Amino acid sequence: MTGSEVPPSFRLAYVPGVMPTKWVRIWNERLPEVPLTLVPVPAAEAFGALRDGGGSGADAGFVRLPVDGADLSAIPLYTEATVVLVPKDHAVAAVDEVSLADLADDIVLRPLDDTLAWETPPGRPAKERPATTADAVELVAAGVGLLIVPQSLARLHHRRDLTYRPVPDAPESRVALSWPQDATTDLVEHLIGIVRGRTVNSTRGRPLPERSAPGAKAAKAKDKASEVRRKPAPGRGSGGKSGKSGGTGGAKRGKPRRRP
């Protein structure tokens, strides 16, 4: 897809925990003729969706860093706090925050889709790693262990019998906008402008071609020409050709001139 082409739609992937609502609203306000299709994907499959492109995959996506290849571009957007998810009757629920050292004696579940970059996983390992974060949440509710996740995931998997507390010394999760490096299209540039907070009148980025219904542009030009013809020229009246006001049939009005 070249820079001047406008596809019929734009596919935007997003991983669990990311809420793209604000950016989608701005997109719809600025580019109403380019439908935006949201594509929810597991964190582990996000980069594959970007490589598949806008057909079965996505043109761009909100992912968690780091990206897994030099062929993908990324713009970091924000960093999330990390929390530990625990049953409400756990001792951790009685404090405002905990450190990794405080969890040394607890079983800390680490699902296969864990997005935190651990040098040394905290706590005691479980016998098996849960397949997904959702599975790990169920195990926390069953009292099997604890779970350390980005705060947005703790909110996403909210349960009445669970709560969470910040873990300041745990790795943080960074959310970014990513897309294939060789597919930086006009629409991707516009999305970059949106997430970076550029205004609609910003000079950065490439403008989209004007698109309108057939004949609308010609009709608009015709109306404008008619308006110009109806508007009297400066210094002329509504009916005469002279600089003085004219009446019906172009007859001149005013005080008659005396003959010498």
Side-chain angles (χ1 to χ4, degrees), residues 44-133:
E45 299 176 13
F47 301 117
L50 296 180
R51 292 188 175 100
D52 287 343
S56 59
D59 299 286
F62 295 112
V63 302
R64 295 188 185 275
L65 295 176
V67 296
D68 66 354
D71 59 322
L72 298 176
S73 298
I75 297 175
L77 300 177
Y78 60 89
T79 300
E80 284 193 70
T82 303
V83 301
V84 58
L85 192 67
V86 302
K88 281 193 172 180
D89 58 358
H90 194 279
V92 166
V95 299
D96 293 332
E97 64 180 35
V98 295
S99 67
L100 294 177
D102 295 330
L103 307 176
D105 295 330
D106 290 284
I107 293 177
V108 178
L109 303 167
R110 192 179 174 211
L112 296 177
D113 62 356
D114 184 15
T115 59
L116 298 175
W118 296 103
E119 292 184 5
T120 303
R124 296 159 49 204
K127 292 182 179 180
E128 294 182 4
R129 294 183 63 181
T132 66
T133 297

Side-chain angles (χ1 to χ4, degrees), residues 221-258:
K222 183 177 179 181
D223 292 342
K224 188 173 182 180
S226 298
E227 182 180 352
V228 171
R229 286 196 297 269
R230 290 194 298 269
K231 185 176 181 181
R236 294 180 179 269
S238 58
K241 294 184 180 181
S242 68
K244 299 180 182 179
S245 300
T248 304
K252 297 180 181 179
R253 292 183 178 182
K255 189 175 182 180
R257 297 173 62 184
R258 294 180 180 180

Side-chain angles (χ1 to χ4, degrees), residues 166-190:
V167 188
D169 59 342
E172 295 176 319
S173 176
R174 293 188 299 159
V175 173
L177 173 66
S178 183
W179 68 95
Q181 196 172 58
D182 61 354
T184 307
T185 64
D186 291 352
L187 292 177
V188 170
E189 289 282 3
H190 279 271

Side-chain angles (χ1 to χ4, degrees), residues 112-215:
L112 296 177
D113 62 356
D114 184 15
T115 59
L116 298 175
W118 296 103
E119 292 184 5
T120 303
R124 296 159 49 204
K127 292 182 179 180
E128 294 182 4
R129 294 183 63 181
T132 66
T133 297
D135 293 336
V137 171
E138 293 294 330
L139 293 176
V140 173
V144 174
L146 311 182
L147 176 64
I148 300 178
V149 291
Q151 184 170 316
S152 65
L153 291 182
R155 290 174 175 171
L156 179 66
H157 296 284
H158 170 73
R159 293 175 53 123
R160 291 183 179 180
D161 53 347
L162 301 180
T163 188
Y164 59 85
R165 294 292 183 270
V167 188
D169 59 342
E172 295 176 319
S173 176
R174 293 188 299 159
V175 173
L177 173 66
S178 183
W179 68 95
Q181 196 172 58
D182 61 354
T184 307
T185 64
D186 291 352
L187 292 177
V188 170
E189 289 282 3
H190 279 271
L191 180 59
I192 292 171
I194 289 172
V195 300
R196 282 184 163 172
R198 297 176 193 160
T199 66
V200 68
N201 296 322
S202 172
T203 57
R204 300 185 64 180
R206 291 170 285 186
L208 287 174
E210 182 179 355
R211 301 175 69 192
S212 57

